[in-house]
Amino acid sequence: VLPEHPMYPLTKSDVPIQYKEISILNSSESLYGVKHERTNNMEETIEEYTIVDAEGKEYEKMNDFWGLSSMPVLYDLNHILTSRNEKFGFVSVRGYESVPFIYDEIIERDDSLFDVRIADCWGVIDVYGKTIVSIKYNAQIKGNGKFDNLLVIDTLSKRKGVLGADGREKIPTVYEHLMIQDKIIYCGRGGYEYNFYYNFFCKNIV
């Protein structure tokens, strides 16, 4: 908005040129993610991220979230995705931690949910931190919101199972061998995936 426009006093930004990186967070351009340098208690110069207002002052509601380790990203009107001490989570623009900083990765999906990783275990959460798919599997969860009949492998046990539509296991991850064919799930602790079906001790209709 140009200075002569009546809306200029409400929309102007005057963030000083002092930051190494800057990113607009919201459509009203009143909040910005910035990367800057500061001196820690050991007199070392370190780089970190924070959130500032349209005048370049640190956003007061983020006082409890100093030392962010990645550029904040506004997911919706309230939830900001960022990291602290290399662990990812969400904070609210109102100044509270909405999803704890416990994840090694948070990746947005195409179904308004998020793939999350803790160590070698993957799962799915929503923007409020509710677990949709348990964080225990060896790979990102496919399906784009449709988890029904999705084959999964437990990271620790290496055993296989199948998810239901709600993201919970409808066939538990206890089987060494499991495959889905023609709407039938064949599974067995000692069977062979590429041999005859009778090597599998049971079969379940999907």
Side-chain angles (χ1 to χ4, degrees):
V1 178
L2 297 175
E4 57 268 23
H5 195 282
M7 293 295 292
Y8 177 72
L10 299 176
T11 60
K12 69 175 182 177
S13 295
D14 190 19
V15 180
I17 304 174
Q18 66 184 49
Y19 300 110
K20 303 189 73 172
E21 294 179 26
I22 188 167
S23 174
I24 299 171
L25 287 186
N26 56 356
S27 58
S28 62
E29 299 188 16
S30 60
L31 293 177
Y32 299 82
V34 296
K35 180 180 182 180
H36 65 127
E37 293 182 341
R38 72 173 181 88
T39 303
N40 64 13
N41 295 333
M42 301 177 64
E43 300 301 320
E44 299 171 326
T45 300
I46 61 173
E47 295 181 343
E48 64 182 22
Y49 296 84
T50 189
I51 297 172
V52 300
D53 61 21
E55 295 181 352
K57 298 177 182 177
E58 289 200 32
Y59 183 48
E60 59 181 13
K61 293 185 178 180
M62 291 291 114
N63 287 342
D64 292 334
F65 301 107
W66 52 268
L68 302 179
S69 54
S70 66
M71 180 66 78
V73 177
L74 189 69
Y75 173 69
D76 57 23
L77 293 178
N78 184 43
H79 298 92
I80 297 171
L81 172 63
T82 186
S83 64
R84 192 174 187 182
N85 297 323
E86 309 303 329
K87 296 289 185 179
F88 288 86
F90 282 93
V91 296
S92 166
V93 295
R94 298 182 180 92
Y96 61 87
E97 183 180 280
S98 55
V99 177
F101 292 98
I102 61 174
Y103 302 102
D104 294 304
E105 279 188 79
I106 297 181
I107 301 173
E108 185 179 355
R109 297 164 54 90
D110 294 330
D111 51 15
S112 300
L113 300 173
F114 297 86
D115 288 317
V116 292
R117 178 179 64 84
I118 298 178
D120 295 326
C121 298
W122 288 90
V124 178
I125 65 170
D126 65 15
V127 73
Y128 303 102
K130 178 183 177 182
T131 299
I132 307 300
V133 176
S134 295
I135 304 165
K136 57 178 287 189
Y137 303 110
N138 72 334
Q140 282 182 254
I141 307 299
K142 301 177 182 179
N144 292 329
K146 298 179 180 179
F147 304 115
D148 200 25
N149 299 332
L150 186 64
L151 179 68
V152 289
I153 302 174
D154 185 283
T155 299
L156 297 179
S157 69
K158 310 301 182 186
R159 299 296 179 98
K160 300 177 181 179
V162 176
L163 297 182
D166 60 359
R168 293 183 291 183
E169 293 179 5
K170 69 178 182 181
I171 294 184
T173 49
V174 297
Y175 301 108
E176 293 180 33
H177 305 285
L178 188 153
M179 67 179 179
I180 302 174
Q181 183 172 332
D182 298 328
K183 296 187 177 181
I184 297 178
I185 299 174
Y186 298 90
C187 47
R189 292 189 177 85
Y192 299 94
E193 292 185 2
Y194 302 109
N195 211 322
F196 299 107
Y197 294 159
Y198 57 73
N199 285 321
F200 291 81
F201 80 95
C202 71
K203 61 181 179 179
N204 299 279
I205 298 177
V206 175

